[in-house]
Amino acid sequence: MDYLVVAVASLLAAGLTLYSGFGLGTLLLPVFALFFPVEVAVAATAVVHGANNVFKVSLLGRHADRDTVLRFGIPAVFAAIIGAALLGWFSVREAMFTWSLGGWEAQITPLKLVMAGLMFFFALFELLPRFRSIRFERKHYFVGGFLSGFFGGLSGHQGALRSAFLVKTGMDTKEFVGTASTIGLLVDAVRLVTYFGLLLLVGQNISLPAGSAGLVIVGCLAAFAGVLIGKRYLDKVTMGWVQNFTGVLLLLIAFLLGFGLI
């Protein structure tokens, strides 16, 4: 059942978010968080997200706008290292509060609170028209790259901000997807290196559940299939539905994380 849940989530998320430039990490992180510790869920999501970006870049990377990749991607890469390092710091903090009910014991850690806050914010970003309509100009590329890279490293949520900055540049669909995928791949590469470097340093404090590798592999393969399917049928799905679904899921997981239930 675990494999089925991850496969379905990866396939749907990768397909539905192909042209939006965001959503795979947003949808997949809560799913992995059901099976892994939060910090491991972020790393597992990064692996699937990175593999999916490699696949998308192989298909559409040649259409990427090089100037945008450099001006937006370089600050994003450096900020991703900062965010990933901060995730490592949060991951070794002890629980702030514990509570139990009916034999169920929950732990509320600094990382879970930060993640819950971020997910709540990004849920509003998806659900409220005021946030959906935010757009930015090219002169704001440095700020946009830094913010999207930082949150990408900290929680994996990089695509929503990146898309908000890039969507008003006048690029056509292929350029947009190619550019967003290339920048996302750069961020994924540096945050994965940072994550696994930190895991080596604090590995004794993190227990990896059995079947972790299998779930990640299934997630990658399902995401590839989602991209291929989405490339043909995405125009039949409204982004409004995708944003509403994502926002509701984020609110649910933010609640569970904030109260230490996962």
Side-chain angles (χ1 to χ4, degrees), residues 86-96 107-111:
L86 188 59
L87 172 66
W89 182 84
F90 275 119
S91 69
V92 296
R93 302 299 99 185
E94 295 183 356
M96 300 169 59
Q107 293 187 337
I108 302 175
T109 65
L111 176 62

Side-chain angles (χ1 to χ4, degrees), residues 26 30 112-128 131 155 157 246-258:
T26 302
K112 289 183 178 182
L113 287 178
V114 170
M115 293 292 292
L118 286 173
M119 287 193 173
F120 180 79
F121 169 76
F122 281 100
L124 297 181
F125 202 95
E126 304 293 342
L127 293 172
L128 298 182
F131 287 99
S155 70
H157 294 84
T246 301
V248 171
L249 183 60
L250 281 172
L251 286 177
L252 173 61
I253 301 301
F255 173 83
L256 296 175
L257 276 173

Side-chain angles (χ1 to χ4, degrees), residues 67-83:
D67 180 65
T68 301
V69 169
L70 291 175
R71 292 173 58 189
F72 197 98
I74 290 176
V77 164
F78 283 103
I81 296 174
I82 299 173

Side-chain angles (χ1 to χ4, degrees), residues 19-22 65 67-69 71-73 75-76 79 121-122 125-126 130-152 157-171 175-177 179-180 183 243:
Y19 293 117
S20 68
F22 68 94
D65 183 282
D67 180 65
T68 301
V69 169
R71 292 173 58 189
F72 197 98
F121 169 76
F122 281 100
F125 202 95
E126 304 293 342
R130 176 179 297 180
F131 287 99
R132 283 188 183 183
S133 62
I134 292 177
R135 297 292 184 268
F136 302 95
E137 303 293 343
R138 286 179 179 265
K139 63 183 179 180
H140 300 125
Y141 272 2
F142 182 87
V143 174
F146 189 91
L147 290 176
S148 66
F150 176 78
F151 285 116
H157 294 84
Q158 55 170 310
L161 281 175
R162 183 175 60 242
S163 292
F165 277 90
L166 298 182
V167 76
K168 200 178 179 182
T169 61
M171 291 185 285
E175 287 177 325
F176 176 76
V177 175
T179 301
I183 295 172
Q243 288 177 298

